[in-house]
Every structure is written in structure tokens, then in C-alpha cells.
Amino acid sequence: MRQGRFSQQATAFMFATLIHYKILGLDSKPASPLFKRNHFFKARCGGTIVASRGVLISPNYPSSYEPNTRCVWTIRGPVGHYINFQFTDLDLPPIAAIGGNCSTVDYVEIRERNATNEVLATVCGSDFSNVISSYWNEVDVIFQTGSRVYNRQGFRITYNTSIDGCGGDVSGSSGIIQSPSYPNSYPHGRICIWKIRGPIGRRITLTFTDFALEGPLRRAGSTQSECQDFVYAINGPDIQSSPRYRNSSKRCGSTLPEIVSSSGNNMILIFRRDGSVTHRGFSARYDTDQPAACGGELNGAVGSSGYFTSPGFVSPTSGNYSNSLYCEWQLVNTEPTNSSVIFTIDAMDIEGRLPNSDQCSFDSLSFYGGSMRLPMGQHCGNQTSGTSIYNPFPESLIRFTTDMTITGIGFNTTYRVKG
């Protein structure tokens, strides 16, 4: 198997990135955007907009726009809120101009910016008064024109985020999560995302105490019933991480979902509702009573040393880790001015790369340095040669993630804080 990718090039990239941030005058900790109801933004043609309300207009509006134009605005509202869009002026060619649908002429498309990329509306012509509402807080608005000149004014769109929201960041050793309006019926057509973070070294355990959602439904032409409204638990802090529930991963209906736990101190709970039937919703509690299956804090005092392993690792020839893991170890060097941290991978047997690929797409052991978590190497495959990773920054983060398929013996990594 190929060795890990930490190299002189990676080190050069790391320091170049630091220099880039200094030149731009950026602090090492990016500021969180402040969402206020009076935060208003007006944009011309494309870009990312972080605001609670604003206006989008076609290029040259109210004069005619140019042919062969493509503008993509990404609108990002506060977490847990949805976004409403309304056309206050619309002058695009109608479908009847050349026949077909809106995509055959100049059009505006409003699309969810998530894993589904669901198209909420495709608009053309001059008559569209409906309010378009998203499921969650990120949306792409796309304006596409063809080569034909129509001499139309274009459009003006206003948008604003909802006052009431759901989901968001949740922290602490325990807490309660409930569907919107619980125990009354939850509203239609929304996505709520709760990101739960517990103390380092503890795992999140999620227990539903009440559960009443729309049950599974078989659509016309389908051979299987599917959940329309559902909850979905994810192991880790990223949407792309592995699901916690087995089989379909989604839970709906009136049967209490099974108790699930994360491997580390992060879990995401997603609640998705369609636009039809609603029910009472759910109430769930989480706790961090149990130690994490993996991950935790490492001793960062100068002169200290130690090791950490994947769950189930016994020796370089014995052991087995499980599927769907998300493990994080953190180390903070207490005297970074005159010392550094050295990690050494003494043994490794985890799922490897695809042929002709430099990416560890399945299972991986990754190292990050500094408060910006600069990548310092990603490793997978079969490695026993003692690869070392040198970190001059005060902060170290080591992340071990696995998918839902092949497993291996795992890894053993030693570290020392050298003065």
C-alpha cells in the first residue's frame, strides 16, 4: 500500500497558508457572522451572501440584461431558519416565446443547497406571485440566459429568513431536543439540523421519549415504502459522516427509534418534513454519561509522551475496528514557544485507497495543526514503517473516520512533546 501523504510539500503548503492569512490581515480564528433582522444585503451578479434579508436583481436592472449570462447567488441565513423568496418585479421571456418549458428560455432557478439539491422553483415569463420557501438556511439562486436577445428588464427578488427557527448548535453534558411546536403539530416542509457536542472524551447517547411522525408511504410506481417525515442521526460533526441507525437509517411513524450513541463527542440529528401530513412530533433527550469509544485529550506538557490506538487494536497483527467511527484526539502544547510535538505511526492496517488515487476515500487517519486545523497528512492502507508527523503549532487534532464497509486491524500512534 502507498504511504501517508505528509511531505515537504505539505509543510510548505502549511506555512504558505499561514503567510497568506497574515497578508490578508485575517485572524487565526475566523469571526462568526452576526445575523440580525436589520442586516440587509443587495447583490448584482452572483456570489455568497450571509444575511438575514436582501435583494437580488438581474444584471443592468431595470435595463435589459445581456445574453449568455449566468449568475449564481448562494444565500446563507442563520442555522435553523428557512428563507422566503418573492419576485417583486419579473420580466423574462415566457415559455410561449419558443415553446417547451422555462429551461428553453431565460430563467431563474431557486435550488436547495444541500445533499438533495432539490429545485424549489424554475421561473420565467412575467407572472409569478407565489412566495418560495426553502427547507433550510442555504439556497442557490441561479439566473441563466441563452444566446437569443429578448430585450427584457429581468427581475428583482426580495428574500428574508424566518423569525422562528429550529435546530442549531447544542452543547453541554445533557439536554432535551424537541420538534417545532411540540407537542402540537409541527409545520410543513422544513429541515431542522441539531449539532450536538459534548465534553471531550465522552459519547453522545440519544433517547427518544415520545415519537409521532408521518409513517412510510409507497409512491406510485415504487416497490418500497419510504419515510416522508423522518429523523436521521449522524455520528460526528459533519453531514457527510456515517449514519447511526442501521438499515434504512431514517426513522418515522409512531414506533420509538432505538437508542443510539456516537463514537466520540459529536452527533447530528436531522428532522425532515414534507409538505403534506403533520403529527405531534418528537421529544428526545441526550446525555454524555458514557466514555467515548475513542478519542479524547492527550497530555501536552513538555516532556510528556504517550500513545493512542483505534478501537479494538491489540497488536500490529491482531485486532479489528468497527464501521462508522468518528474519533478525535486533541493535544494542546502548554509551552509551544520552545517545543514541538512529534507523532509516529508505529502500525497501521486500515482500508486503503482506490487504485490511482491520492485520497483516502473510505477509512482514514488525518492530522491537523494550529487553531485553523491546517492539514498535515492523511493516511490509510497498510503502513508499519514508522512515519512521523512534526507539528510546530500549539494545537494538534487527530481524526480517525471509517465508513460502513471494510474494516481492518487499525493503528497505533505514539507521540512526544519535545522541548
Side-chain angles (χ1 to χ4, degrees):
M1 292 288 181
R2 296 182 62 180
Q3 304 298 308
R5 294 189 293 114
F6 182 75
S7 62
Q8 293 181 349
Q9 288 86 348
T11 306
F13 167 79
M14 184 167 57
F15 284 105
T17 303
L18 284 178
I19 294 172
H20 173 74
Y21 271 83
K22 291 296 184 182
I23 292 174
L24 293 179
L26 298 177
D27 184 51
S28 60
K29 294 183 178 180
S32 298
L34 297 177
F35 293 98
K36 299 180 180 179
R37 296 302 302 169
N38 61 355
H39 189 171
F40 182 86
F41 196 94
K42 187 174 181 179
R44 288 287 176 179
C45 182
T48 298
I49 304 170
V50 182
S52 290
R53 63 190 184 100
V55 173
L56 305 178
I57 57 176
S58 52
N60 302 324
Y61 178 87
S63 300
S64 58
Y65 55 83
E66 297 293 329
N68 300 315
T69 297
R70 181 177 176 84
C71 305
V72 180
W73 294 271
T74 297
I75 313 298
R76 185 176 301 143
V79 174
H81 293 253
Y82 60 92
I83 307 175
N84 297 311
F85 297 87
Q86 187 164 26
F87 286 86
T88 57
D89 192 13
L90 179 62
D91 183 28
L92 298 177
I95 296 175
I98 58 174
N101 53 45
C102 282
S103 63
T104 62
V105 292
D106 304 340
Y107 64 91
V108 176
E109 181 180 271
I110 300 179
R111 177 188 292 267
E112 294 279 359
R113 186 176 178 83
N114 54 28
T116 66
N117 287 325
E118 180 179 345
V119 176
L120 301 173
T122 302
V123 179
C124 58
S126 57
D127 183 18
F128 192 91
S129 58
N130 296 340
V131 175
I132 304 164
S133 297
S134 66
Y135 284 97
W136 74 332
N137 69 310
E138 290 192 30
V139 175
D140 282 340
V141 179
I142 303 167
F143 178 46
Q144 181 68 59
T145 73
S147 58
R148 183 173 175 177
V149 178
Y150 289 100
N151 292 319
R152 299 277 183 161
Q153 288 183 335
F155 62 87
R156 183 181 187 271
I157 304 173
T158 61
Y159 67 88
N160 60 79
T161 56
S162 62
I163 296 176
D164 297 325
C166 64
D169 295 330
V170 180
S171 61
S173 57
S174 63
I176 301 293
I177 296 175
Q178 296 177 332
S179 54
S181 303
Y182 178 86
N184 298 316
S185 296
Y186 49 82
H188 295 294
R190 299 287 176 265
I191 296 178
C192 304
I193 300 177
W194 291 270
K195 295 185 176 182
I196 311 168
R197 182 175 179 84
I200 295 175
R202 314 301 294 181
R203 66 167 62 187
I204 308 291
T205 298
L206 184 69
T207 305
F208 283 89
T209 56
D210 189 20
F211 196 78
L213 307 184
E214 181 183 5
L217 177 68
R218 181 181 296 176
R219 300 287 188 183
S222 175
T223 59
Q224 293 182 334
S225 297
E226 296 183 358
C227 290
Q228 307 306 306
D229 300 347
F230 58 84
V231 295
Y232 183 85
I234 294 175
N235 182 31
D238 301 322
I239 297 294
Q240 295 80 11
S241 301
S242 299
R244 284 285 79 188
Y245 294 122
R246 299 295 181 184
N247 301 323
S248 68
S249 300
K250 302 173 183 178
R251 295 295 180 264
C252 61
S254 58
T255 302
L256 286 174
E258 62 269 36
I259 297 173
V260 291
S261 297
S262 60
S263 53
N265 67 319
N266 292 281
M267 180 185 286
I268 294 177
L269 178 65
I270 298 176
F271 176 37
R272 166 69 186 262
R273 301 98 80 192
D274 66 5
S276 58
V277 180
T278 67
H279 288 273
R280 184 173 67 251
F282 67 84
S283 181
R285 59 179 173 85
Y286 75 89
D287 65 65
T288 56
D289 297 340
Q290 300 298 319
C294 53
E297 291 184 288
L298 306 175
N299 188 355
V302 174
S304 64
S305 62
Y307 72 95
F308 54 95
T309 68
S310 54
F313 181 88
V314 178
S315 72
T317 58
S318 176
N320 186 254
Y321 59 83
S322 60
N323 294 318
S324 304
L325 290 173
Y326 194 106
C327 311
E328 286 187 341
W329 292 266
Q330 298 183 32
L331 184 149
V332 178
N333 187 345
T334 57
E335 299 180 34
T337 304
N338 297 310
S339 63
S340 59
V341 184
I342 300 175
F343 298 93
T344 302
I345 303 174
D346 296 313
M348 174 176 285
D349 176 54
I350 65 178
E351 186 177 6
R353 299 178 175 89
L354 288 171
N356 302 318
S357 173
D358 290 331
Q359 300 297 318
C360 296
S361 303
F362 308 112
D363 303 345
S364 65
L365 178 64
S366 302
F367 293 80
Y368 303 89
S371 59
M372 296 293 293
R373 297 187 175 182
L374 302 174
M376 302 178 63
Q378 185 187 63
H379 305 266
C380 58
N382 191 323
Q383 179 176 321
T384 57
S385 59
T387 297
S388 293
I389 299 93
Y390 167 81
N391 181 15
F393 301 105
E395 300 88 0
S396 298
L397 174 70
I398 305 94
R399 180 178 296 154
F400 177 53
T401 60
T402 69
D403 64 7
M404 300 179 67
T405 57
I406 300 171
T407 62
I409 292 173
F411 70 86
N412 178 75
T413 297
T414 56
Y415 71 92
R416 58 191 175 100
V417 184
K418 183 178 180 181

